[in-house]
Amino acid sequence: MKNLLITFGCSWTFGVGVFYYKGMTEKEYWSHPKAFKPHNTFRSIIAKELNADNLNFSMGASSNDKQIRYAKHFFSSQQFKDLQNEYDNIKVLWGITATSRIECWDYKFKDINNLILTPGRRYLTGHHSVNDGLSKTYLRYFYDQDHKIFELAKEMHFWNSYFESLGITNYWFDTFNHHNYYKPHESSKHIEAKTDLGELYRLEDKKHSLDNDVIDQHVKLNSLRAVSKIRNLLFDDREYRDLCSILALDAGVKNVDGYHTSTFLADHPKITFLADKGLLNPYSFHPTETAHQSIASFMLKEINTL
């Protein structure tokens, strides 16, 4: 029987920095070849435990936008259809990363860019002037963390239904931040309110009602409600379900509340703590081989209970 584990995620899933060893200098770390096949990552350990081959789409600095795009392209491809015939069982392990990363089309360089919407780390490619200015504008006028999390929850529900229809078992996990996927959308409170915003929603309804009532009021209301429980979300019964917080709490940290952007900065005390414990490297703050082994261990326990 042939098994396949398909993985999505960011640097933590890919295994950026897993080559770090205690005593490695910063110069040695940053001079390590960028193109490498990481071994002893939690995804490879899990695949081995499941007696499965690992088809990996995760990559360093990836956004959720990028991973969703990769998934749409792959699962609609002939390659996937061929793999369905080749493998008896297919499982998907999908890591959600920071919402402060987005994708957009760069008209100047004719390429899709991954933007980091955090001060000091707004770009990861050579398109500095374009990316930095766009990131600042997007962060100021268009980015809302709750909205991004709400969109992610809807995506997760959709993909759950899709995978179920194909007989594929899938699992979700938060990588280094705990997201509240069960919060209703901010705009839902305005729809029936007697305010200017409420009137705008009612005008929109009247506009669409001219075209065979394609968008009814109750449909819009339902679409803005919080999602029900997301199936196959690992550690969903924990107060903090993300891998980083679980590592930190297990290592003795008392407070893990706060958002980690994963931009090579120790932007939270739990990150410094984990680095001191040898679970994150001290240069880019990615999991060490020891941390990957721990992550694989508690993920496998959780997967076996679902």
Side-chain angles (χ1 to χ4, degrees):
M1 182 173 288
K2 292 190 67 176
N3 303 313
L4 179 65
L5 177 66
I6 305 173
T7 48
F8 294 90
C10 61
S11 56
W12 280 48
T13 304
F14 176 79
V16 170
V18 72
F19 53 79
Y20 170 82
Y21 57 87
K22 187 175 181 180
M24 190 179 200
T25 66
E26 187 170 4
K27 182 178 180 180
E28 289 173 330
Y29 181 83
W30 292 116
S31 62
H32 189 277
K34 302 303 179 188
F36 69 100
K37 291 186 177 181
H39 300 290
N40 300 319
T41 59
F42 68 79
R43 61 179 169 86
S44 63
I45 297 171
I46 291 172
K48 184 177 181 180
E49 184 68 23
L50 298 177
N51 192 28
D53 295 328
N54 179 208
L55 176 60
N56 176 58
F57 288 92
S58 68
M59 61 186 300
S62 181
S63 61
N64 295 309
D65 293 349
K66 182 185 291 290
Q67 293 297 296
I68 291 170
R69 174 168 59 86
Y70 283 177
K72 288 178 179 177
H73 289 186
F74 171 70
F75 288 112
S76 61
S77 70
Q78 183 61 46
Q79 180 189 12
F80 171 61
K81 293 178 182 178
D82 294 340
L83 290 174
Q84 282 182 293
N85 294 325
E86 180 181 351
Y87 286 90
D88 302 291
N89 292 303
I90 297 177
K91 287 183 170 60
V92 174
L93 183 63
W94 194 325
I96 301 298
T97 189
T99 63
S100 54
R101 303 173 178 180
I102 65 167
E103 273 196 339
C104 70
W105 177 256
D106 189 321
Y107 74 92
K108 181 178 180 181
F109 295 94
K110 307 302 180 186
D111 196 5
I112 297 174
N113 275 335
N114 207 48
L115 303 187
I116 308 298
L117 304 177
T118 52
R121 296 285 181 178
R122 292 195 175 98
Y123 47 80
L124 292 177
T125 71
H127 312 165
H128 294 182
S129 60
V130 175
N131 286 6
D132 194 40
L134 178 58
S135 295
K136 289 178 180 178
T137 301
Y138 192 95
L139 184 61
R140 181 175 181 180
Y141 295 108
F142 304 112
Y143 173 74
D144 181 79
Q145 186 181 86
D146 287 341
H147 175 68
K148 295 295 287 185
I149 294 173
F150 180 86
E151 286 185 322
L152 278 171
K154 294 294 185 179
E155 287 282 357
M156 293 161 78
H157 262 302
F158 168 81
W159 285 103
N160 274 342
S161 297
Y162 176 79
F163 290 135
E164 184 178 19
S165 71
L166 295 178
I168 293 175
T169 302
N170 70 295
Y171 304 102
W172 302 97
F173 62 92
D174 280 339
T175 304
F176 38 77
N177 292 298
H178 176 99
H179 294 129
N180 180 9
Y181 297 112
Y182 307 127
K183 185 177 180 180
H185 197 279
E186 173 70 16
S187 61
S188 62
K189 66 185 180 183
H190 299 300
I191 289 181
E192 294 182 328
K194 294 181 179 179
T195 62
D196 291 341
L197 279 175
E199 180 60 24
L200 284 174
Y201 278 103
R202 286 187 287 275
L203 287 173
E204 184 182 3
D205 289 332
K206 292 176 182 177
K207 177 180 67 177
H208 287 294
S209 67
L210 298 176
D211 187 14
N212 299 320
D213 295 323
V214 291
I215 298 182
D216 292 328
Q217 177 78 339
H218 74 277
V219 173
K220 187 187 299 181
L221 282 169
N222 287 336
S223 70
L224 292 174
R225 289 195 178 116
V227 298
S228 56
K229 186 175 177 64
I230 297 175
R231 290 180 288 106
N232 306 329
L233 177 57
L234 301 182
F235 315 110
D236 199 22
D237 58 339
R238 299 198 184 200
E239 183 178 3
Y240 297 96
R241 77 171 78 82
D242 60 285
L243 305 184
C244 185
S245 293
I246 294 173
L247 279 175
L249 289 168
D250 286 353
V253 166
K254 301 301 181 182
N255 178 24
V256 295
D257 192 28
Y259 210 80
H260 175 49
T261 58
S262 189
T263 54
F264 308 153
L265 300 173
D267 53 7
H268 191 281
K270 67 182 177 184
I271 303 302
T272 305
F273 180 88
L274 287 171
D276 291 342
K277 289 289 186 178
L279 295 170
L280 301 182
N281 76 68
Y283 307 128
S284 67
F285 303 103
H286 287 98
T288 60
E289 185 175 329
T290 300
H292 276 277
Q293 292 169 348
S294 296
I295 290 171
S297 178
F298 59 67
M299 288 186 83
L300 281 166
K301 288 180 182 178
E302 180 76 359
I303 288 172
N304 290 333
T305 64
L306 294 179

